[in-house]
Structure formats: structure tokens, C-alpha cells
Amino acid sequence: MHKLSRLSSSSILRNGGSRYRGVASSISSSTSQVDSTGVSNSNQSTSRWYSSITTGRSNSSHSTPKFNLRNGFYLSNRYESTSAAASDATDSPPAEKFEYQAEVSRLMDLIVHSLYSNKEVFLRELISNASDALDKLRFLSVTDPGLMKESAELDIRVQTDKDNGIITITDSGIGMTREEIVDCLGTIAQSGTAKFLKALKDSKDSGSDNNLIGQFGVGFYSAFLVADRVVVSTKSPKSEKQYVWEGEANASSYTIREETDPEKLIPRGTRLTLYLKRDDKGFAHPERVQKLVKNYSQFVSFPIYTWQEKGYTKEVEVDEDPAEVKKEGDDSQIEKKKKTKTVVERYWDWELTNETKPLWLRNPKEVTTEEYNDFYKQTFNEYLEPLASSHFTTEGEVEFRSVLYVPAISPTGKDDITNPKTKNIRLYVKRVFISDDFDGELFPRYLSFVKGVVDSNDLPLNVSREILQESRIVRIMRKRLVRKAFDMILGIAMSENPEDYEKFWDNFGKNIKLGCIEDRENHKRLAPLLRFFSSQADEVMISLDEYVENMKPEQKDIYYIASDSLTSAQSAPFLEKLKEKEYEVLFLVDPIDEVAIQNLKSYKEKNFVDISKEDLDLGDKDEEKEKQVKQEFGVTCDWIKKRLGDKVASVQISNRLSSSPCVLVSGKFGWSANMERLMKAQSLGDTSSLDYMRGRRVLEINADHAIIKNLSVACKSSPDDQEAQRAIDLLYNTALISSGFTPENPAELGGKIYEMMGMALSGKWSPAIEAEVIEQSNMVNGSEAAIKAEVLVEAGTGQK
């Protein structure tokens, strides 16, 4: 962790060169006091820079901080609130002019409009270049310690001038010679880092880990996203001279000159000055620069300082009112305290911006649970601890590090299941933040609730959405991340505290069910995570493993029924025979449950069977008995089918009923009653498919029920009797409701029920009241029914 000591809280100027990622191994971004960095001195032989705060303070409210190199020390004063101003050298030798090695106008347009989709990444790119310069210097100094003689400190400094729209980035890296400037900055898309890495690979000492960032040679030119003019002042420890490169946006040439202004000489490194465009001067605000550094470069391995306005409080004396002094003159002998007030005095100073080290680069054995939880809360602005975390490193074909978390609760809106563009995964490339805006590239939609960071060394730093979509590396990363996410969730399910998984299921159960629909490849990982109520566990949800374990020896399938509520599922007539056999039935009461189970099809070689569909096999068929029943009730079935017509596909003897007279089941490949209800509720559903999918309905009758036996007698003795015909209609409509379907004409059904009630209650208690009830029923059901009711009442009265 890089921290400033109390004695070094004032300005410290460190310079260096870095190969701009995407430009060259020897370009670096550099921060200076906006071209007021230091004064050259003959006595410049010390091997370390120091900074101290002098006791004086400038009286000018608009003074610019200046640094003087005396006896090898950089001295600075603490200044009142102000911003640094840029100044150009007045006396300098004529600059040489060079042509770019590419068609700049077209390439610049490509960089600005195609390669980078967000302007603010320019700071990320330039800081990454500075980090590369520092990395290169650190590596080369192992074999050549003389490169570090000017300073052992390695850091990056970013300073802004919001009044003039200037950003200055300074590093104390390797810097560049004149030849390296021409070679690297003069050839667009030439990467010095790529050359350096190739040289390391070809050398005998390539076993060390050199995690340099840029390899594509365009990172430096991202400066032109926001700047009209860019000035690079660089000093290599291999050269005695300091050179200045200057270029403008859309220009076909650039200039290189020797730096002769003593105020702008730096011992080592690179200073990059951006003169922002009119529309982009907002980037020069100190607060915005600090926010960008924290967002994109928080985990760069070198300290990054930003020039910030600060303040401290102090007590100052207040002049007393003359009137009060005269009034209290008689009490002069009494000693009085002087009146003071607290004021805030402003000044500018360096502030360390990237204090946090990457947690994912540490050994998981050395990281505590508290550290994981703190990192989660700080990174994702959460206040609750996560349910689980996973810290892992993947090596081999693709290398990346990651820390993943399962949140304790779902977002307030609970729309992540339909909106895959969450900001839950932060992608880093070599510790540099790239993006958190993904559309299913790293995680599928149903796992969008998983949060974490992913740091890859194989992806390019200037990665785009198209690269992510087409990259083979990303596809491999996605598979491994998904696998680790399932391991986390399974760990919660198998934990000793069952409440943790109950909490997870309440918040993210729908996501797991959605995965059963969308991700066939991971069905074996998703199925054990599912939880359902059942006919034997209606208060506690069970897993499919528990269901299979509780299955009867003769049971072959996993039975389920889909309904709109737990109460309706418990009272469904389809359960009657299964309860007698003590077969457990899963209750699917969530709208997505039925589709999820249908996509799974089976679990541990056990097929899922909907007990509301036709051809239900309970494994207890008695062919001889079935043959006798069909012979006895075959004519009755045909008679009922003739009356119902196209309302049902057929009428059959049921093997699933014990107490109900009949039930209406769906076709084997059609919609169930629950699915039909859901499809009707779809605001954008296709109504033309409703008739096709719900067309086949089968009425199953219970041959052992008294109502069916009476109807069988009526079929044989009086098949054309109107009362028997109406009884069939009422039987069908009642079965329609009890089976979960919606009657086509509820008012007509209500009238038939009232009519049957009138007939059943006729003469039961009081003939007069009964006649009134029947009369009201007659008004509903028509004149013909009224005449029959009167006859029935008179006949009943006569019998009495």
C-alpha cells in the first residue's frame, strides 16, 4: 500500500518515461506542475528526490507552485487555492519536422470513432502507458542499477488546470531517447511494449514475470480523443538531453525539439501535457480526474497522485466592537480572553488516489473472510455481507484471476432476470479497469445476479464489444466463470445453515428456473438447485434429490402438477389416487415452474410426468378388470361424448380418481390448464395458437362413483331424457372448474347450478318457500323450465 508520510504531503515531482501502451516501450504519461517542474542545477548528482513543506506561504491568491532543485532536493511551498498554468518555452532551437508513417487523418478517425466507445478512457490508456514505463525501468534496473540513480521512487502524478483546460501526466519511468521518439511516436500503431516483451521472450532471462500492459500501439493516441494538441517532454537515463514531441489532432506531421528551458527540465521520465478541446475541458476538473483514476486505474501497481485542493481549519483573532470596549472599560482590571473564530484555509497538494491493492492478486489462503466482505461492500456499494464468495485463478489455455460473490438480496427492482445489462461484473485487463457494461458475454442472463471482478492477461486493453463477442478467450472464460458460480451456489445449498439457501432461493430462485429454460448444457448443475413444495412437504421446500430418495420402490416417474396456488394444487382431483398410493407429487405454483420442468424432461433417469395430462400410468394396471369396466361403461362413454360434442376429444374411464365423479385432462402434447391460463394472460400472446394447443381435452369418468353409475342407468333406459342431458352438461362444467380450466360461459353455468339446486331442494323443508326458490330459478332458466318446476312442486304437494 503506497502512502505519503506526513513530511511529504506537499508536492513531489517525479518524472519518468513509459512506453505508451499502444505506442512504444519508452513513452510514459507524466504529470508536472503544468510545465513548471524544476530548475536545472549543476549540482544534480543526488540519487534520490525528496520533498518538504516550507513554513512560508504565498500571499498571492493566484500563485503557481514552483519547484527548485537545490543540492539534489526538490523544495516546494504550500500555496493558497489555485490551479497551475501552462507556459511554453520562449527561447528554444528551431524544431525539426517529421512526417507520420501512416495516413493520420483516417487512422485518427478510426481511433476516435471506432476503437474507443467512451472518451474518458483516454486517462486509463495514458496511465497504463506510464505504468508500463515504470515496469520497464524496474526490470532493466535489475541488470543496470545506474538507470535508477536519479531517483528510486516510482510513481505517476496527474495535475489539472481547469481554467485553461490542461491535463498533465508525469511518471518517473524509463523515458525515451530521440531515436525512440521518432521510432515510437512517429509510427502510429507501433508498440514498444510488444517489442520489449518479444525481446524478453527471446532472451535467456525470460523466466521472470513482466506484466506490461500495452501491446497494440494506439494507447497514446487516445489522448486526441479529448485534446487538440499534445506535448510530450521526455528524458531517458541513456541520454543527456531532454526532447519534446509535439503534435496536433488531424495533422499529418509532428515536431521534435530539444528542451532548453531550465524551468521544464526533468531528471528522468516523461511529462505528457494535453491541451483539451473546447467541449472536453470538463475533464480538467480535479474531482473528475480523481474519479476516473479511481474507476479505471485503482489497482495499477504504482502509486498515482492527483493534484487536489485541500483545506485545514485554524483559529484567527476577531477585532472587537469599539462600543463594547467602551462599555466594558470599567472592568479593565479583569483579564479577558481574546475573541477568535474558525476559518478554513485552502491550499493545493498531492493526494494518493489508488490506495487499494488488488485483492484478487493475493493468495486466497492469506485473505480473510472479513477482507473479502469489505472488498465486496466497497466495490459494489453494498451494505449486507454476501452469501458466498469464490476466489480462484485459472491457468493453462487461458489465464485469469477472479473473485465472485453471491449477494444476500436481489436488487430492489428485481428486473435483472429480464435485463441482462447489469453492472455486476467488472472486467480488468492487467489490473486496468475495462468495463462493467456487458450483455451476456461473461455471464448468461440467468446468472446476472452474480457479482465480482475478472482480471485477464490475455485480452487486449482496448477491448470492444465486438472483440468480446467474437473472442475465443472470452468464451472459455465464460464457461469457467459459470462453473465457479454453480460451485458457489451448491456450497450454499450444502452448508450447515439451511436458512442461507432459503434466503438465496427466495431472491434468486427464478433465475435458476430461467437457467433450466435457457441453458441446456448446464441442466445437470441446475437441477440439484431447484426447490419445490410437494404433497408430502407443503410447508418446507424439497430438492429433487430428496424427492428421488423418498420415491416408492415401484414408482418409476417424478410426478408433478402445475397450479396457480398451493391451495388449489393440494385440492386438485388429479391427486386422489396418488395420495392413496402415497406417491409424492411436486406442486409447481410459480408461473415459470412448468416450463422449467418441461425443459429438464428428466432427472437421474426419472422422467417428469404431469398428472393432469392423459395416459397417466401409475404402474398398477389390471388389464382384465379394465376390459370388464370398458365393456360395462363403453356405451355410457359414447353417450356422454355425443352430448358434449366437440368440447372433448373423447370420454374415457379414469384410473386416477377415487372420490370425484370425473375430471377433465389435457392432451399429452397440449397445454395444461395452468399453461392455458398463463398464455391467455399474455398481453402480446398469439391468440390463434390457443385453439390449436388446447384443442384436445379428455373427460375421464370414475366408474365407481354413484353419479356415473346413475348416468349409466339413464343411458340404457332413457338416453334422450332432458334431465339426464342437463346433468351431463353440469358434470362437464363442474369438471372444467375443478380441473383448473376456465368455463366459456360462467353465467350459463351458474344458471344450471341454481336449477339443479332448486330441483334437489324441492319440497325438502317448506313447500311455499321451495316454490318461491324454484320460481326465482325459473326466471333465470326460461319458461320451459318454469313449467316443469311447477309440475314437480304440485306433484310433491299431492304426495304429502
Side-chain angles (χ1 to χ4, degrees), residues 129-287:
N129 292 335
S131 175
D132 275 357
L134 296 166
D135 255 328
K136 184 177 178 182
L137 176 64
R138 184 167 57 181
F139 178 81
L140 294 177
S141 64
V142 175
T143 55
D144 187 2
L147 297 175
M148 300 280 286
K149 65 181 181 180
E150 298 296 339
S151 171
E153 298 292 336
L154 301 175
D155 58 17
I156 303 169
R157 296 178 180 267
V158 184
Q159 188 171 10
T160 59
D161 179 1
K162 63 181 180 181
D163 295 330
N164 297 306
I166 299 173
I167 298 178
T168 306
I169 305 171
T170 305
D171 68 68
S172 55
I174 190 61
M176 288 182 291
T177 63
R178 182 183 181 281
E179 292 74 17
E180 290 171 335
I181 294 176
V182 175
D183 183 39
C184 299
L185 296 187
T187 304
I188 297 180
Q190 164 108 350
S191 174
T193 294
K195 287 184 177 180
F196 186 66
L197 290 175
K198 186 177 184 302
L200 289 178
K201 185 177 180 181
D202 296 338
S203 68
K204 296 181 181 179
D205 301 328
S206 60
S208 58
D209 182 15
N210 299 286
N211 194 12
L212 300 182
I213 298 173
Q215 299 182 33
F216 290 86
V218 290
F220 165 70
Y221 294 97
S222 65
F224 290 103
L225 289 170
V226 296
D228 284 322
R229 182 164 65 99
V230 177
V231 177
V232 180
S233 183
T234 180
K235 171 69 167 60
S236 172
K238 299 178 182 179
S239 173
E240 297 181 355
K241 297 181 179 180
Q242 179 175 326
Y243 294 95
V244 178
W245 179 98
E246 184 171 349
E248 296 183 0
N250 299 323
S252 60
S253 61
Y254 60 93
T255 62
I256 298 177
R257 58 179 172 84
E258 181 183 346
E259 183 60 84
T260 58
D261 187 352
E263 295 289 332
K264 298 181 180 180
L265 293 179
I266 55 178
R268 183 194 70 224
T270 300
R271 177 195 307 129
L272 178 64
T273 306
L274 280 64
Y275 297 88
L276 302 179
K277 301 174 183 177
R278 177 181 300 177
D279 295 338
D280 297 315
K281 287 188 176 182
F283 284 107
H285 284 268
E287 295 82 5

Side-chain angles (χ1 to χ4, degrees), residues 445-685:
R445 178 173 66 157
Y446 67 91
L447 288 178
S448 59
F449 62 88
V450 176
K451 298 185 177 184
V453 297
V454 180
D455 188 2
S456 170
N457 291 340
D458 299 318
L459 289 172
L461 191 62
N462 48 358
V463 65
S464 64
R465 174 58 52 78
E466 291 74 18
I467 293 176
L468 284 176
Q469 290 174 342
E470 301 297 331
S471 174
R472 173 177 164 273
I473 296 174
V474 173
R475 290 196 294 270
I476 297 175
M477 289 174 59
R478 175 188 167 108
K479 287 184 178 179
R480 297 183 181 177
L481 289 170
V482 169
R483 192 177 305 165
K484 288 294 182 180
F486 279 126
D487 291 342
M488 272 196 306
I489 299 172
L490 187 61
I492 300 174
M494 298 177 65
S495 67
E496 297 179 355
N497 188 4
E499 294 179 357
D500 289 343
Y501 195 76
E502 291 178 7
K503 187 184 299 183
F504 168 83
W505 187 255
D506 289 340
N507 286 280
F508 308 111
K510 285 184 172 63
N511 295 72
I512 302 301
K513 297 170 186 176
L514 180 64
C516 296
I517 302 172
E518 295 186 341
D519 193 354
R520 294 182 179 274
E521 295 181 0
N522 287 303
H523 275 178
K524 291 184 178 179
R525 294 187 176 93
L526 286 161
L529 303 176
L530 296 173
R531 297 292 185 271
F532 302 101
F533 291 108
S534 74
S535 57
Q536 297 180 9
D538 53 2
E539 295 183 357
V540 180
M541 287 187 164
I542 65 169
S543 65
L544 294 179
D545 288 324
E546 292 174 311
Y547 182 96
V548 173
E549 186 178 348
N550 296 332
M551 287 177 64
K552 298 295 181 181
E554 69 276 9
Q555 185 177 347
K556 299 179 181 180
D557 302 314
I558 299 175
Y559 299 113
Y560 71 89
I561 181 172
S563 184
D564 59 344
S565 67
L566 189 61
T567 303
S568 59
Q570 291 170 336
S571 58
F574 305 100
L575 293 170
E576 293 174 358
K577 207 52 148 322
L578 286 95
K579 284 183 177 180
E580 289 182 0
K581 292 179 171 293
E582 296 184 351
Y583 287 172
E584 192 169 13
V585 180
L586 296 176
F587 293 155
L588 310 186
V589 295
D590 202 358
I592 198 175
D593 284 351
E594 187 173 1
V595 183
I597 288 295
Q598 289 174 353
N599 277 270
L600 284 180
K601 295 182 180 179
S602 65
Y603 182 71
K604 290 187 176 181
E605 299 181 356
K606 306 288 185 181
N607 294 325
F608 289 102
V609 174
D610 187 351
I611 63 173
S612 68
K613 298 288 185 74
E614 64 176 332
D615 298 334
L616 177 64
D617 184 9
L618 299 179
D620 59 348
K621 285 187 177 182
D622 187 346
E623 295 183 357
E624 190 66 28
K625 183 179 179 179
E626 287 184 1
K627 186 177 180 180
Q628 293 177 1
V629 173
K630 286 182 179 179
Q631 288 179 352
E632 181 180 354
F633 290 90
V635 178
T636 304
C637 291
D638 295 338
W639 176 58
I640 296 175
K641 171 65 174 71
K642 182 179 179 181
R643 172 63 180 178
L644 297 178
D646 295 335
K647 294 180 180 179
V648 295
S650 63
V651 179
Q652 300 176 4
I653 306 299
S654 178
N655 66 339
R656 72 185 86 203
L657 299 175
S658 59
S659 58
S660 298
C662 65
V663 70
L664 197 64
V665 300
S666 304
K668 190 173 184 180
F669 302 103
W671 284 337
S672 65
N674 181 68
M675 184 59 65
E676 184 176 320
R677 175 180 58 83
L678 294 175
M679 295 308 295
K680 283 182 178 179
Q682 300 299 314
S683 58
L684 300 178

Side-chain angles (χ1 to χ4, degrees), residues 383 409-416:
Y383 62 94
I409 59 173
S410 59
T412 306
K414 292 189 176 182
D415 59 349
D416 284 359

